[in-house]
Amino acid sequence: MVDFNYEIFNEKAVIYDKTRARYSNNYINLLCKEIYENKIKIAVDIAAGTGINTTILSKYVNQVIAIEPNKDMYKQLKRNILEKNTCLINTTAQHTTLLDNSVDLITVAQAFQLLDLKDTKKEFKRILKKKRESYFSME
């Protein structure tokens, strides 16, 4: 397994949270279309950071699971996320701790540089419901 530097955001979470650009209405519209057309109920936000994408997802699905490996970002995520339909887990994309075939949608917003793509793809296929696998792509 590749050793990724998850500590890259140490002591930067508050600044990141204040300065990180928010997502466009186009992104939100595309996400909503995907959620509604495919009857998405459970979504996972990988490398959730401070929760910008997690907060958006929580408005449109029954449950969001936010995965964040960096301890400082995770602390800020806990401060930011107040939605009752959101579960936060301090772990990596490669080891989500989620059950097999348990999620409908996986999002990764601007964090691919933090992922071991080979191991992450294997984990995503494991946790994604089999009926969703047909539109799985991470090449």
Side-chain angles (χ1 to χ4, degrees), residues 4-6 8-9 47 68-69 94 110-116 120:
F4 287 90
N5 183 7
Y6 293 115
I8 193 168
F9 288 104
E68 175 52 48
Q94 300 89 294
Q110 299 186 3
F112 275 97
Q113 75 280 8
L114 297 175
L115 306 181
D116 173 335
T120 299

Side-chain angles (χ1 to χ4, degrees), residues 8-51:
I8 193 168
F9 288 104
N10 281 357
E11 300 179 23
K12 297 176 184 167
V14 173
I15 293 168
Y16 178 93
D17 193 41
K18 289 180 182 177
T19 61
R20 169 90 163 47
R22 298 314 193 233
Y23 295 105
S24 70
N25 286 337
N26 287 340
Y27 166 77
I28 295 169
N29 290 339
L30 285 170
L31 184 64
C32 288
K33 183 176 185 240
E34 176 72 18
I35 288 168
Y36 291 124
E37 285 180 1
N38 292 290
K39 299 178 176 82
I40 303 297
K41 303 288 185 218
I42 302 171
V44 177
D45 189 19
I46 299 292
T50 61

Side-chain angles (χ1 to χ4, degrees), residues 1-136:
M1 183 166 100
V2 178
D3 182 28
F4 287 90
N5 183 7
Y6 293 115
E7 307 309 310
I8 193 168
F9 288 104
N10 281 357
E11 300 179 23
K12 297 176 184 167
V14 173
I15 293 168
Y16 178 93
D17 193 41
K18 289 180 182 177
T19 61
R20 169 90 163 47
R22 298 314 193 233
Y23 295 105
S24 70
N25 286 337
N26 287 340
Y27 166 77
I28 295 169
N29 290 339
L30 285 170
L31 184 64
C32 288
K33 183 176 185 240
E34 176 72 18
I35 288 168
Y36 291 124
E37 285 180 1
N38 292 290
K39 299 178 176 82
I40 303 297
K41 303 288 185 218
I42 302 171
V44 177
D45 189 19
I46 299 292
T50 61
I52 297 167
N53 194 52
T54 305
T55 300
I56 294 167
L57 285 167
S58 72
K59 295 175 183 173
Y60 303 103
V61 300
N62 293 351
Q63 182 182 22
V64 180
I65 303 159
I67 304 288
E68 175 52 48
N70 180 275
K71 298 220 184 294
D72 287 348
M73 295 292 267
Y74 184 75
K75 286 178 192 172
Q76 189 65 37
L77 177 67
K78 283 174 57 173
R79 285 185 209 109
N80 290 350
I81 300 299
L82 304 174
E83 291 79 5
K84 294 184 188 308
N85 68 335
T86 304
C87 171
L88 312 177
I89 304 174
N90 183 213
T91 191
T92 67
Q94 300 89 294
H95 305 286
T96 64
T97 73
L98 300 177
L99 298 175
D100 292 356
N101 310 310
S102 60
V103 302
D104 298 309
L105 177 72
I106 301 169
T107 63
V108 182
Q110 299 186 3
F112 275 97
Q113 75 280 8
L114 297 175
L115 306 181
D116 173 335
L117 294 183
K118 181 181 176 196
D119 288 343
T120 299
K121 184 174 182 177
K122 187 187 309 182
E123 180 70 353
F124 285 7
K125 283 189 173 190
R126 184 187 70 76
I127 66 173
L128 193 63
K129 290 180 181 175
K130 295 301 176 203
K131 66 181 181 179
R132 304 291 181 192
E133 217 172 74
S134 64
Y135 63 81
F136 184 87

